[in-house]
Amino acid sequence: DVKVTQSSRYLVKRTGEKVFLECVQDMDHENMFWYRQDPGLGLRLIYFSYDVKMKEKGDIPEGYSVSREKKERFSLILESASTNQTSMYLCASSWTSGIDEQFFGPGTRLTVL
Amino acid sequence: AQKITQTQPGMFVQEKEAVTLDCTYDTSDQSYGLFWYKQPSSGEMIFLIYQGSYDEQNATEGRYSLNFQKARKSANLVISASQLGDSAMYFCPWRNDMRFGAGTRLTVKP
């Protein structure tokens, strides 16, 4: 079975801290994605990556950066966490574009105080 | 970016009845596809079904089927014989750019 893991289920950080959210997939997927999910807004795409060292901005990249040094790992970085970044963060991966569905991690609920 | 619209923030259905969840899209692409995912309260995202624009038939998977109407630009999910375990959020992301709509919260009443 495809497995996507995220480093933490729950995380509490202080305003201004640098935060790293890690995502690892074990099925050699080319594509990896970071979303945040907020009530009433659904999932919004932050960044995605189609290959190692490659990244593309999604719809809400401000305040975030990403890193993909290895194919299986995609990290989301909050350079200076703010309270409006309190949210559920979901990582996903998929094979090359086409009819392949995404596989999601369990999510990280981040609270910024 | 393409626009996905799920117009029903919340839906209620009686157990064992069928329910339709709406999903409309706005695109000029000829080749496209839509997924449907289920997200129960546990938070996991579960893939349900996929419909491609060139598929000759509407997609079906067990109790899930798609009412795909290209002219109306809609790909509505039909769940037959609803079960209590169907209570969840439902999303229909766009294949071409993996954008999601706001989702529909389905509640199945006993």
Side-chain angles (χ1 to χ4, degrees):
Chain A
D1 280 351
V2 174
K3 194 164 186 181
V4 180
T5 57
Q6 295 182 230
S7 48
S8 306
R9 285 303 303 270
Y10 299 94
L11 207 53
V12 180
K13 295 293 182 180
R14 298 249 176 229
T15 301
E17 281 191 79
K18 190 168 186 175
V19 181
F20 293 87
L21 302 182
E22 303 285 340
C23 176
V24 178
Q25 49 93 5
D26 66 359
M27 279 299 290
D28 204 35
H29 286 169
E30 280 81 10
N31 305 331
M32 296 189 76
F33 307 80
W34 275 107
Y35 296 91
R36 64 176 281 176
Q37 183 176 13
D38 300 287
L41 298 178
L43 277 73
R44 292 180 290 168
L45 184 63
I46 305 172
Y47 269 97
F48 60 98
S49 169
Y50 288 144
D51 202 351
V52 175
K53 295 190 186 295
M54 182 273 182
K55 60 186 179 184
E56 293 286 342
K57 293 180 179 179
D59 297 323
I60 52 165
E62 296 78 20
Y64 303 95
S65 62
V66 290
S67 171
R68 194 168 181 198
E69 296 296 318
K70 292 186 177 182
K71 192 174 186 179
E72 67 271 17
R73 187 179 298 269
F74 192 35
S75 302
L76 180 70
I77 304 155
L78 287 66
E79 296 289 344
S80 177
S82 64
T83 55
N84 62 13
Q85 292 178 310
T86 291
S87 186
M88 171 67 84
Y89 290 88
L90 290 167
C91 174
S93 69
S94 70
W95 277 288
T96 53
S97 61
I99 65 169
D100 302 304
E101 74 271 25
Q102 291 174 309
F103 294 85
F104 283 82
T108 296
R109 183 165 295 282
L110 172 67
T111 302
V112 182
L113 301 176
Chain B
Q2 315 306 326
K3 183 174 174 64
I4 294 288
T5 303
Q6 293 183 256
T7 57
Q8 308 151 314
M11 288 282 287
F12 291 88
V13 65
Q14 205 67 38
E15 191 179 10
K16 299 181 184 177
E17 291 185 353
V19 62
T20 298
L21 306 183
D22 294 343
C23 178
T24 59
Y25 52 91
D26 181 15
T27 186
S28 56
D29 291 349
Q30 295 302 307
S31 176
Y32 56 87
L34 289 116
F35 299 95
W36 274 94
Y37 284 84
K38 170 185 177 181
Q39 187 183 40
S41 57
S42 59
E44 63 190 305
M45 292 287 281
I46 302 167
F47 166 71
L48 297 177
I49 200 167
Y50 170 80
Q51 180 76 52
S53 59
Y54 290 123
D55 292 342
E56 293 185 354
Q57 295 185 340
N58 288 348
T60 63
E61 189 68 46
R63 294 186 300 110
Y64 305 107
S65 61
L66 270 173
N67 181 6
F68 184 50
Q69 299 185 46
K70 288 176 71 171
R72 292 188 172 189
K73 297 188 176 181
S74 70
N76 300 336
L77 178 70
V78 181
I79 305 175
S80 62
S82 297
Q83 303 172 355
L84 296 178
D86 293 334
S87 293
M89 286 290 295
Y90 288 82
F91 297 97
C92 61
W94 182 255
R95 182 200 77 188
N96 297 36
D97 64 10
M98 293 315 300
R99 261 58 172 191
F100 283 66
T104 295
R105 180 173 296 282
L106 175 66
T107 303
V108 180
K109 297 190 286 185

